[in-house]
Amino acid sequence: MSPEERQLLQGVFDRMRNNSSAPRDNDADRLIADNVRQQPYSPYFLTQAVIVQEQALQAANQRIQQLEQEASNRPAQSGGGGGFLSSIFGGGSSSAPPAPQRAPVWNQGGTGQGAPQQGYAPQQGGPWG
C-alpha cells in the first residue's frame, strides 16, 4: 500500500469517526452488521467503493468548474439570429456554409406534369416538355 492509499483509507475512517454520533436506523444497522458477519471481507470492498466514488466526484466537480470557467470567459453572442435553429436556417454566424440549393418539388397529379409548388419556376426542356 502506498502512502497516498494509506492516507485515503485513513481519511474514510476519520470521517466515520467524526460522524459516529449521528443518528442511525436500527434496522439498517442490524442488517449491515449481519452481512458483515456473513461476509467479513465486505468492509474492504465497501471502503474501496467509497474511495473510488469520492475520487470520481472530485474529478467531476473539477470538470464542472473548468467548464463553468470556460463558459464565463466566452464572449457573449450578440442578439439577432444566434439561436437553436440558426445553423439550419442561415442566421447567426457568418462563417456558416451557404444553404444548399433546393430542387423543384412537383405536385402529385398522377401524370408527372403538375405545376411546381409555389416559389419554384418550372424547369425548361425536361422530359415532359
Side-chain angles (χ1 to χ4, degrees), residues 50-87:
V50 167
I51 291 171
V52 167
Q53 290 171 3
E54 286 177 343
Q55 296 289 315
L57 285 171
Q58 285 177 349
N61 189 40
Q62 288 173 352
R63 181 67 176 143
I64 289 168
Q65 289 176 355
Q66 177 188 9
L67 292 171
E68 287 175 343
Q69 182 68 32
E70 289 173 9
S72 68
N73 289 338
R74 284 192 205 129
Q77 289 187 355
S78 60
F84 170 67
L85 298 175
S86 64
S87 64

Side-chain angles (χ1 to χ4, degrees), residues 78-129:
S78 60
F84 170 67
L85 298 175
S86 64
S87 64
I88 296 172
F89 297 113
S93 172
S94 61
S95 64
Q101 296 286 328
R102 290 178 40 168
V105 178
W106 296 89
N107 289 333
Q108 306 226 350
T111 64
Q113 296 182 344
Q117 288 186 351
Q118 184 177 1
Y120 290 98
Q123 288 183 337
Q124 300 295 321
W128 296 286

